[in-house]
Amino acid sequence: MPERGSLVDRHVGFVHALREAGLPVSLAEGLDAARALRVIDLSERESLRAAYAATLVKKPAYRPGFDVLFDLWFPSSTTGMYAPRPAEARLDPRTAPVDELRERLAELLTGSTDAELREFAQAMVERFGRQQTTGPGRQNWFSYSVLRALSPETLMARILQNVLAGQERGGLAEKTVRQRVNGNVRRFEEAVATDVRRRIAEDSGIERIARSAVRPPLDQIDFLRITRADLARLRKEVHPLARRLAARLTIKHRKGRRGRLDFRRTVRASLQSGGVPLTTHFKPPRPHKPELVILCDTSDSVSSFAHFTLLLTYALREQFTKVRAFGFVDRVDEITRFFVPGADVVEAMTRLADEADMSRFGRTNYGHALEGFAERHADAIGPRTSLLILGDARSNYQPPALDVLRRLTSGARHAYWLNPEPRQQWDTGDSVASEYGTVVEMHECRNVAQLTAFIETLA
């Protein structure tokens, strides 16, 4: 294994890798982690992991990336250190037939310790994970070749037959075994992936593999690159985020605001000071809840962004006296009806795609959508309305209808545009972001963190 220097060098490199991966680690937290290393047994790897996690990981969402990087910088073993345990002496992973290896894997999936599963995974990577490439001494390592050779997901029937021999199938016992085996399959797959990353790091350097091995934290994943699984996880974040934002909105609305002078109470209080109004009293301020109108690009290019922002907006609807939402591709339709309180979000989005009248030719046309909105729904915008436009401002080289947008925003209390594209891509190709930006204040909004910062600023 390449030399990595002292523990201090490794600590500095690890903290730097966490920052590169998007985990917020301050200088003070890095020093706290270094101090924690003085009071633990450094030979206990899991104690070392726990000390770093306690001082550097702020949110549960950051833990998966942290664990990947920890395994790279503080691996459980190095190449050449693996040796079969006495219990495995009867099975040489380097020469045993694949059927015998699958039988051993089935035993481990039925019940095993982390160390046993990890050691078996290392041996399987050594045998099946290596692929030679062009050039002397060059090689690559892959997880898929190991999993393809052993096919752990196909061992369920064999395991159930062995474990449930003589027992009734389909009951609680089978369900329990299936859950345990599926969990162990995921552990084995992760152990294989961890060892593959370790071997690549040994060959190519930790820094190189670290940049590609860790996905950004959930709140920093670009909306335009989000996966279905990420969207499901983000959906769980919507309501807690909305509650925090709602609390801040309420505080900011109330802070520093006073109602009109209460003349009667002020005069009554002045009688105690000879008619001099030393103390003034004010009436409670009237709560101000603006109306919200959303104009959202729902085309395929920004569908994930539109999905999440609509979820968040409707989670925040108690902040507004009225919420109306409109979607468009090349024509506009009101979609408020799909998001009534209590509606299932997934079902609402499915109905929106099937029933809303937002697309005639299937190509985004902002100008035509704005003209249709002004013609059919201009009364939705008034002096108490905050207008929020969501989209990438890419209109397939069609006229942008700036004059129509200018008329609409002139009648609104506030108007903002959230663009999910990186700012450096604005005005490239068919983007007219800067032209729209001259009419409506446009903000880059690529992830949850930027969306949160915008809403706090909006308050």
Side-chain angles (χ1 to χ4, degrees):
M1 185 173 183
E3 181 64 30
R4 291 184 186 149
S6 67
L7 178 60
V8 173
D9 294 332
R10 195 176 300 190
H11 166 82
V12 172
F14 176 52
V15 171
H16 177 72
L18 291 174
R19 293 180 181 133
E20 288 287 307
L23 277 69
V25 178
S26 67
L27 177 61
E29 289 163 343
L31 293 174
D32 288 342
R35 295 188 187 98
L37 303 186
R38 299 168 57 185
V39 298
I40 64 170
D41 184 354
L42 295 177
S43 64
E44 293 288 338
R45 182 168 176 267
E46 290 309 311
S47 296
L48 181 64
R49 185 195 299 268
Y52 270 119
T55 52
L56 302 180
V57 180
K58 297 182 178 68
K59 297 180 180 180
Y62 297 158
R63 186 60 190 257
F66 165 86
D67 285 331
V68 169
L69 291 174
F70 180 87
D71 289 334
L72 287 174
W73 284 91
F74 303 94
S76 59
S77 64
T78 57
T79 300
M81 293 181 63
Y82 173 79
R85 291 187 164 207
E88 297 179 357
R90 59 183 174 82
L91 182 67
D92 187 344
R94 296 167 294 183
T95 59
V98 174
D99 287 343
E100 293 185 17
L101 295 175
R102 280 170 51 82
E103 187 66 35
R104 175 57 179 158
L105 178 58
E107 295 175 4
L108 293 172
L109 295 179
T110 304
S112 62
T113 65
D114 287 339
E116 290 172 337
L117 204 60
R118 182 173 62 248
E119 290 172 3
F120 185 78
Q122 291 171 354
M124 295 302 97
V125 172
E126 178 68 28
R127 177 166 176 179
F128 299 110
R130 188 201 322 261
Q131 293 191 12
Q132 298 294 335
T133 59
T134 57
R138 298 190 62 183
Q139 58 189 5
N140 284 333
W141 299 91
F142 297 96
S143 298
Y144 79 89
S145 56
V146 179
L147 301 178
R148 183 180 59 188
L150 299 177
S151 300
E153 71 280 356
T154 65
L155 295 172
M156 181 66 76
R158 180 186 304 183
I159 294 173
L160 290 175
Q161 183 178 0
N162 294 335
V163 176
L164 301 177
Q167 299 186 48
E168 182 181 357
R169 299 293 297 270
L172 179 60
E174 179 177 342
K175 182 179 179 181
T176 302
V177 173
R178 284 182 178 275
Q179 290 178 343
R180 182 171 70 249
V181 172
N182 286 332
N184 288 336
V185 168
R186 289 191 293 271
R187 288 170 54 212
F188 175 71
E189 292 173 345
E190 182 54 37
V192 170
T194 298
D195 196 59
V196 166
R197 287 193 293 265
R198 175 185 65 82
R199 292 171 185 270
I200 295 175
E202 290 180 356
D203 294 341
S204 305
I206 299 177
E207 292 80 4
R208 180 177 177 182
I209 184 62
R211 283 191 284 271
S212 59
V214 181
R215 295 198 72 199
L218 188 62
D219 62 352
Q220 297 180 25
I221 298 177
D222 281 8
F223 287 121
L224 300 184
R225 293 179 175 84
I226 209 166
T227 64
R228 186 179 296 273
D230 292 329
L231 197 56
R233 292 163 58 204
L234 281 173
R235 191 176 298 126
K236 299 177 183 178
E237 300 292 325
V238 168
H239 289 286
L241 177 62
R243 283 194 294 269
R244 292 196 299 271
L245 291 175
R248 293 191 180 187
L249 284 170
T250 302
I251 291 171
K252 289 189 176 184
H253 278 311
R254 293 176 179 174
K255 185 177 180 180
R257 289 187 58 208
R258 295 189 300 183
R260 299 175 61 183
L261 177 68
D262 191 331
F263 184 77
R264 179 174 298 179
R265 289 185 61 200
T266 301
V267 170
R268 186 180 298 115
S270 70
L271 296 178
Q272 300 177 8
S273 54
V276 180
L278 298 178
T279 303
T280 54
H281 293 270
F282 296 87
K283 296 179 180 178
R286 292 183 180 180
H288 175 70
K289 284 191 174 184
E291 299 174 359
L292 179 65
V293 170
I294 309 158
L295 190 57
C296 182
D297 182 354
T298 59
S299 61
D300 291 340
S301 62
V302 292
S303 59
S304 297
F305 173 62
H307 190 152
F308 181 77
T309 49
L310 284 174
L311 289 178
L312 182 62
T313 300
Y314 277 87
L316 284 167
R317 62 182 177 269
E318 66 270 13
Q319 293 299 312
F320 304 91
T321 56
K322 182 186 298 183
V323 175
R324 296 183 67 181
F326 302 84
F328 69 90
V329 178
D330 58 353
R331 58 196 302 173
V332 68
D333 187 23
E334 183 165 6
I335 57 177
T336 310
R337 63 187 183 278
F338 299 109
F339 295 93
V340 295
D344 179 78
V345 172
V346 176
E347 181 182 346
M349 295 301 293
T350 302
R351 288 185 57 209
L352 185 153
D354 294 338
E355 301 175 21
D357 183 19
M358 298 180 295
S359 176
R360 183 178 180 185
F361 300 107
R363 301 184 63 186
T364 310
N365 189 330
Y366 278 76
H368 190 265
L370 289 171
E371 291 171 351
F373 180 84
E375 180 180 347
R376 299 166 53 191
H377 306 290
D379 59 342
I381 298 178
R384 297 182 60 189
T385 303
S386 292
L387 173 63
L388 190 61
I389 303 175
L390 313 173
D392 58 7
R394 292 188 177 273
S395 193
N396 287 295
Y397 302 100
Q398 301 300 315
L402 294 176
D403 55 337
V404 177
L405 181 61
R406 192 172 287 108
R407 289 200 307 270
L408 291 172
T409 57
S410 65
R413 187 170 185 265
H414 299 294
Y416 304 94
W417 190 309
L418 302 185
N419 192 327
E421 284 196 334
R423 189 177 296 273
Q424 58 267 28
Q425 295 182 14
W426 295 4
D427 301 327
T428 62
D430 61 342
S431 171
V432 287
S434 292
E435 292 186 52
Y436 283 129
T438 61
V439 181
V440 180
E441 182 180 328
M442 188 171 291
H443 298 261
E444 179 185 300
C445 186
R446 296 186 292 112
N447 51 48
V448 173
Q450 289 186 340
L451 182 60
T452 303
F454 163 76
I455 296 181
E456 291 177 348
T457 304
L458 178 63

